[in-house]
Amino acid sequence: MKTEAFQNLLLKSAISVMACDGSIDESEIAEIKNMADNEIYFMGFDIEEPFEKSLNYIKQNGKKAINEYLNELSQLNLNEKQELLLIEVLIRTIESDNKIQASEVKFLQLVKSKLGISEETIITQFPKQMNYLIDFENYGLHEEFTDEIEFASDN
Protein backbone atom coordinates (compact mmCIF):
# COMPACT_ATOMS: atom_id res chain seq x y z
CA MET A 1 0.00 0.00 0.00
CA LYS A 2 1.38 3.40 -0.97
CA THR A 3 2.44 5.70 1.85
CA GLU A 4 -0.28 8.34 1.46
CA ALA A 5 -3.03 5.71 1.17
CA PHE A 6 -1.71 4.00 4.31
CA GLN A 7 -1.54 7.34 6.16
CA ASN A 8 -5.16 7.98 5.18
CA LEU A 9 -6.09 4.51 6.45
CA LEU A 10 -4.34 5.13 9.79
CA LEU A 11 -6.10 8.47 10.18
CA LYS A 12 -9.49 6.98 9.27
CA SER A 13 -8.84 4.15 11.74
CA ALA A 14 -8.07 6.57 14.57
CA ILE A 15 -11.12 8.71 13.81
CA SER A 16 -13.36 5.64 13.58
CA VAL A 17 -12.30 4.24 16.95
CA MET A 18 -12.53 7.71 18.51
CA ALA A 19 -16.07 8.22 17.22
CA CYS A 20 -17.48 4.71 17.62
CA ASP A 21 -18.67 5.45 21.18
CA GLY A 22 -20.50 8.60 20.10
CA SER A 23 -18.20 10.79 22.17
CA ILE A 24 -15.29 12.80 20.86
CA ASP A 25 -12.95 13.68 23.67
CA GLU A 26 -10.43 16.49 23.24
CA SER A 27 -7.68 14.16 24.49
CA GLU A 28 -8.47 11.75 21.63
CA ILE A 29 -8.19 14.54 19.06
CA ALA A 30 -4.96 15.73 20.73
CA GLU A 31 -3.47 12.22 20.55
CA ILE A 32 -4.33 11.84 16.87
CA LYS A 33 -2.74 15.22 16.13
CA ASN A 34 0.26 14.28 18.30
CA MET A 35 0.77 11.10 16.27
CA ALA A 36 0.41 13.06 13.02
CA ASP A 37 3.00 15.59 14.16
CA ASN A 38 5.52 13.21 15.73
CA GLU A 39 5.35 9.72 14.27
CA ILE A 40 7.36 8.73 11.23
CA TYR A 41 4.42 6.88 9.71
CA PHE A 42 2.58 10.21 9.33
CA MET A 43 5.63 12.18 8.09
CA GLY A 44 4.71 14.65 5.37
CA PHE A 45 0.97 13.99 5.75
CA ASP A 46 -1.33 16.98 6.36
CA ILE A 47 -4.23 15.62 8.42
CA GLU A 48 -6.40 18.73 8.72
CA GLU A 49 -8.70 18.29 5.70
CA PRO A 50 -8.98 14.46 5.75
CA PHE A 51 -9.53 14.61 9.54
CA GLU A 52 -12.51 16.97 9.24
CA LYS A 53 -13.92 15.12 6.24
CA SER A 54 -13.72 11.70 7.93
CA LEU A 55 -15.08 12.93 11.23
CA ASN A 56 -18.03 14.69 9.59
CA TYR A 57 -18.80 11.60 7.52
CA ILE A 58 -18.91 9.40 10.64
CA LYS A 59 -21.04 11.96 12.49
CA GLN A 60 -23.55 11.95 9.61
CA ASN A 61 -23.54 8.20 8.91
CA GLY A 62 -22.79 6.56 12.28
CA LYS A 63 -22.40 2.80 12.23
CA LYS A 64 -22.84 2.73 8.43
CA ALA A 65 -19.56 4.68 8.12
CA ILE A 66 -17.84 2.33 10.59
CA ASN A 67 -18.98 -0.72 8.62
CA GLU A 68 -17.87 0.85 5.33
CA TYR A 69 -14.43 1.31 6.92
CA LEU A 70 -14.38 -2.32 8.09
CA ASN A 71 -15.37 -3.56 4.63
CA GLU A 72 -12.66 -1.42 3.05
CA LEU A 73 -10.13 -2.78 5.55
CA SER A 74 -10.98 -6.39 4.70
CA GLN A 75 -10.18 -5.69 1.02
CA LEU A 76 -6.67 -4.43 1.77
CA ASN A 77 -3.56 -6.52 1.76
CA LEU A 78 -1.46 -4.98 4.53
CA ASN A 79 1.86 -6.43 5.59
CA GLU A 80 2.53 -7.38 9.23
CA LYS A 81 4.35 -4.13 10.00
CA GLN A 82 1.43 -2.07 8.64
CA GLU A 83 -1.05 -4.16 10.63
CA LEU A 84 0.93 -3.62 13.85
CA LEU A 85 1.08 0.13 13.17
CA LEU A 86 -2.67 0.14 12.64
CA ILE A 87 -3.22 -1.63 15.98
CA GLU A 88 -0.81 0.82 17.67
CA VAL A 89 -2.74 3.81 16.34
CA LEU A 90 -6.02 2.29 17.56
CA ILE A 91 -4.60 1.52 21.02
CA ARG A 92 -3.12 5.00 21.41
CA THR A 93 -6.42 6.59 20.41
CA ILE A 94 -8.47 4.31 22.69
CA GLU A 95 -6.22 4.96 25.69
CA SER A 96 -5.83 8.71 25.18
CA ASP A 97 -8.94 9.66 27.18
CA ASN A 98 -8.15 7.13 29.96
CA LYS A 99 -11.51 5.42 29.38
CA ILE A 100 -11.71 2.07 27.59
CA GLN A 101 -15.26 1.92 26.23
CA ALA A 102 -16.94 -1.38 25.29
CA SER A 103 -17.71 0.01 21.82
CA GLU A 104 -14.01 0.81 21.30
CA VAL A 105 -13.01 -2.72 22.30
CA LYS A 106 -15.68 -4.12 19.98
CA PHE A 107 -14.35 -1.96 17.13
CA LEU A 108 -10.77 -3.06 17.86
CA GLN A 109 -11.81 -6.72 17.78
CA LEU A 110 -13.62 -6.25 14.47
CA VAL A 111 -10.53 -4.58 13.01
CA LYS A 112 -8.33 -7.43 14.27
CA SER A 113 -10.66 -9.95 12.60
CA LYS A 114 -10.06 -8.23 9.23
CA LEU A 115 -6.27 -8.46 9.54
CA GLY A 116 -4.01 -11.39 8.82
CA ILE A 117 -1.85 -10.97 11.91
CA SER A 118 -2.23 -13.46 14.76
CA GLU A 119 -3.54 -12.52 18.19
CA GLU A 120 -0.29 -13.90 19.68
CA THR A 121 1.79 -11.50 17.59
CA ILE A 122 -0.40 -8.56 18.62
CA ILE A 123 -0.24 -9.46 22.31
CA THR A 124 3.53 -9.97 22.14
CA GLN A 125 3.82 -6.46 20.69
CA PHE A 126 1.32 -4.89 23.14
CA PRO A 127 1.42 -6.95 26.36
CA LYS A 128 0.09 -4.14 28.59
CA GLN A 129 -3.15 -4.09 26.60
CA MET A 130 -3.71 -7.85 26.77
CA ASN A 131 -6.84 -7.48 28.91
CA TYR A 132 -8.76 -5.91 26.03
CA LEU A 133 -6.75 -7.22 23.07
CA ILE A 134 -7.91 -10.77 23.74
CA ASP A 135 -11.40 -11.15 22.30
CA PHE A 136 -13.18 -12.60 25.34
CA GLU A 137 -16.59 -11.52 24.00
CA ASN A 138 -16.05 -12.95 20.49
CA TYR A 139 -16.73 -9.53 18.95
CA GLY A 140 -14.43 -10.42 16.07
CA LEU A 141 -16.86 -13.13 14.96
CA HIS A 142 -19.52 -10.54 14.16
CA GLU A 143 -19.90 -9.44 10.59
CA GLU A 144 -20.39 -5.77 11.37
CA PHE A 145 -20.38 -3.09 14.02
CA THR A 146 -23.91 -2.98 15.38
CA ASP A 147 -23.77 -0.34 18.12
CA GLU A 148 -25.80 2.75 17.39
CA ILE A 149 -23.61 5.85 17.35
CA GLU A 150 -25.29 9.01 18.55
CA PHE A 151 -23.35 12.18 19.04
CA ALA A 152 -24.33 14.77 21.59
CA SER A 153 -25.20 18.06 19.95
CA ASP A 154 -21.99 19.65 21.23
CA ASN A 155 -19.73 17.23 19.30
Side-chain angles (χ1 to χ4, degrees):
M1 179 174 245
K2 286 194 168 40
T3 303
E4 188 175 345
F6 184 61
Q7 291 169 323
N8 266 308
L9 174 70
L10 292 176
L11 180 62
K12 202 177 204 179
S13 302
I15 292 167
S16 297
V17 77
M18 171 182 72
C20 74
D21 62 359
S23 169
I24 302 194
D25 194 272
E26 286 301 317
S27 59
E28 293 170 318
I29 293 171
E31 180 59 22
I32 293 169
K33 291 185 176 181
N34 176 44
M35 286 187 280
D37 290 343
N38 297 302
E39 295 300 339
I40 194 156
Y41 44 81
F42 276 118
M43 192 164 35
F45 184 67
D46 181 8
I47 71 160
E48 291 304 319
E49 185 184 333
F51 181 90
E52 291 301 324
K53 197 171 159 190
S54 263
L55 185 56
N56 289 333
Y57 187 76
I58 291 173
K59 283 182 174 181
Q60 291 169 355
N61 295 283
K63 70 179 177 183
K64 176 181 176 259
I66 299 292
N67 286 313
E68 286 172 359
Y69 162 83
L70 291 167
N71 287 333
E72 177 187 331
L73 185 61
S74 65
Q75 307 299 313
L76 300 176
N77 195 10
L78 302 175
N79 63 40
E80 187 174 292
K81 184 176 183 195
Q82 290 172 321
E83 290 182 348
L84 284 170
L85 284 173
L86 173 61
I87 298 292
E88 178 187 325
V89 166
L90 293 176
I91 288 170
R92 286 179 65 175
T93 306
I94 288 169
E95 291 181 345
S96 63
D97 64 356
N98 297 312
K99 292 181 281 207
I100 312 294
Q101 303 288 348
S103 57
E104 295 170 331
V105 173
K106 194 178 293 187
F107 178 83
L108 178 64
Q109 297 303 336
L110 283 163
V111 167
K112 279 177 39 196
S113 74
K114 309 289 184 202
L115 303 177
I117 197 166
S118 73
E119 195 159 82
E120 293 77 17
T121 302
I122 294 170
I123 290 167
T124 301
Q125 189 74 27
F126 305 103
K128 291 180 182 148
Q129 290 78 14
M130 182 169 48
N131 60 335
Y132 65 87
L133 279 172
I134 295 175
D135 191 4
F136 293 112
E137 303 294 327
N138 293 319
Y139 292 135
L141 298 177
H142 297 253
E143 289 298 310
E144 59 183 29
F145 188 81
T146 56
D147 291 15
E148 289 300 330
I149 302 172
E150 294 181 26
F151 292 93
S153 56
D154 63 337
N155 280 334

